[in-house]
Amino acid sequence: MSEERFIPVNGNRLRVLIDGDPGRPWLTCLHGAATNVHLWDPQIEAFGSLFHILRIDVRGHGKSSADVQAKTFDDLVADVIAVWDALGIKTSTVMGLSLGGMTGFGLAIHHPDRVERLIAADCRSDAPKFFADSWVNRLQVLKDKGITGLADITLPVWMAEASMLSRPDIIAGARAMITATSEPGYVSVAKALMALDYKKDLGRIRCPTLLLVGAEDG
């Protein structure tokens, strides 16, 4: 059973789950936009005997509030540091997917003494025009059709065709995470993604780093 806590951070109330072996090193798992801590449920059993695992709901995702929206990745990085400080975590391995991997870049660049290792999956490090425009388009869908409309256009991007056809459990779970995301929370991370600017600083990362991408990931 996960330990659930709610931590006041930078004007918001962030939900965290803690699992694994308290005698092991920390592993912080950071989810992507329009998902939440439950993205990592399948990994907890695999890693629980190796790590003390922290999962954090990003502002406006899952059970975290978005009373104060993020403007840049500096805000999302500051949230993780504040949670670590509140829990007495001095150092941690960071594993992030998409938005979470990008946040991991920021942590490794600006707080190198706090990040032991970094695993960044399916993420980029800058926001060229085509990428920034894609978020403008998604925000327009959110405005016109709400979070359900956003789920309709997001799932085919996230999922391989075979999964769309044969894994209704996976599709339903992903849709549930998307539709549980608050509109202020989605707008918050979209703003950060449009301002993503870590590429020029990647050479400053000194911790062991693993980058992963799926063969069918766009």
Side-chain angles (χ1 to χ4, degrees), residues 31-178:
H31 63 76
T35 62
N36 56 53
V37 293
H38 294 297
L39 176 78
W40 300 107
D41 283 352
Q43 281 71 49
I44 298 304
E45 181 178 356
F47 294 141
S49 63
L50 303 173
F51 293 99
H52 200 186
I53 303 171
L54 170 68
R55 291 179 280 171
I56 306 171
D57 271 337
V58 173
R59 303 181 190 203
H61 290 61
K63 295 183 181 179
S64 290
S65 71
D67 299 315
V68 178
Q69 292 185 344
K71 295 180 180 179
T72 69
F73 271 92
D74 289 346
D75 297 323
L76 301 180
V77 168
D79 285 352
V80 176
I81 293 295
V83 169
W84 283 352
D85 289 346
L87 296 174
I89 298 173
K90 302 299 183 185
T91 62
S92 176
T93 292
V94 175
M95 180 167 66
L97 174 75
S98 191
L99 179 84
M102 299 165 190
T103 306
F105 288 152
L107 288 163
I109 290 166
H110 296 297
H111 301 275
D113 57 325
R114 306 293 294 270
V115 180
E116 295 180 356
R117 290 171 290 183
L118 172 63
I119 304 98
D122 299 317
C123 61
R124 59 180 306 118
S125 57
D126 61 354
K129 187 176 186 301
F130 82 89
F131 180 76
D133 287 349
S134 73
W135 289 97
V136 173
N137 295 338
R138 291 178 205 186
L139 289 178
Q140 189 61 51
V141 172
L142 180 65
K143 181 179 179 181
D144 294 343
K145 300 182 178 180
I147 200 73
T148 301
L150 197 64
D152 291 338
I153 67 166
T154 300
L155 285 169
V157 176
W158 282 2
M159 301 297 175
E161 183 178 359
S163 295
M164 292 291 288
L165 294 173
S166 64
R167 296 298 303 276
D169 55 328
I170 296 292
I171 305 306
R175 179 177 288 277
M177 283 194 287
I178 296 169

Side-chain angles (χ1 to χ4, degrees), residues 156-200:
V157 176
W158 282 2
M159 301 297 175
E161 183 178 359
S163 295
M164 292 291 288
L165 294 173
S166 64
R167 296 298 303 276
D169 55 328
I170 296 292
I171 305 306
R175 179 177 288 277
M177 283 194 287
I178 296 169
T179 56
T181 304
S182 73
E183 291 193 16
Y186 192 84
V187 172
S188 177
V189 298
K191 290 179 179 177
L193 285 158
M194 286 187 279
L196 177 64
D197 189 27
Y198 286 140
K199 186 174 183 178
K200 68 184 187 303

